Amino acid sequence: MATMLSNIMKNLGRKAATRLYPFEKRELPTTTRGHLDIEIDKCIFCGACQKRCPTNAINVTRDPKTWAVNHYACIVCGYCVEVCPKDCLLLRNEHLPQP
Ligand code: SF4
Ligand code: SF4
């Protein structure tokens, strides 16, 4: 009982250890690899990103011109970003909103 009271008294003056998520969101570190995104207007559908992806998360077709990523398969390694000849892929520093 004495320990509990002492803990209560100690914690009364302290800041809350938790945030009121989702109203207060934590600022992410600048190195966070949140999710892969594409500027589709720049894409030439060459398929280099698809070939380089270690988890087969990207699917590119030339005819019709489509580009898609499976975010559940993507491990956010950034290899596709490195090989894209048009620099149209980027890793955004934020997580995708949950459905
Ligand atoms: S490597 Fe770049 S240009 Fe080529 S298909 Fe992928 S995103 Fe498009
Ligand atoms: S970031 Fe890595 S795992 Fe994700 S799509 Fe690109 S190459 Fe594939």
Side-chain angles (χ1 to χ4, degrees):
M1 186 69 169
T3 310
M4 188 176 83
L5 279 175
S6 123
N7 278 341
I8 290 173
M9 296 313 288
K10 252 196 289 180
N11 286 309
L12 274 178
R14 288 190 181 158
K15 264 176 58 178
T18 54
R19 286 181 198 81
L20 289 174
Y21 185 84
F23 306 107
E24 284 176 35
K25 289 184 183 160
R26 187 173 74 170
E27 206 167 291
L28 295 171
T30 51
T31 49
T32 299
R33 294 178 175 192
H35 71 274
L36 179 69
D37 205 355
I38 183 170
E39 292 170 9
I40 197 72
D41 296 344
K42 290 197 220 164
C43 179
I44 56 172
F45 304 93
C46 64
C49 53
Q50 178 179 313
K51 282 186 204 134
R52 188 66 185 87
C53 178
T55 62
N56 294 324
I58 297 180
N59 195 334
V60 184
T61 60
R62 287 194 179 174
D63 192 18
K65 292 179 174 177
T66 63
W67 184 97
V69 61
N70 176 355
H71 287 290
Y72 292 109
C74 175
I75 54 170
V76 205
C77 64
Y79 288 162
C80 55
V81 177
E82 288 170 13
V83 298
C84 177
K86 291 297 186 181
D87 291 331
C88 54
L89 294 174
L90 60 151
L91 292 177
R92 291 206 183 276
N93 183 17
E94 60 198 26
H95 296 295
L96 283 174
Q98 296 302 306

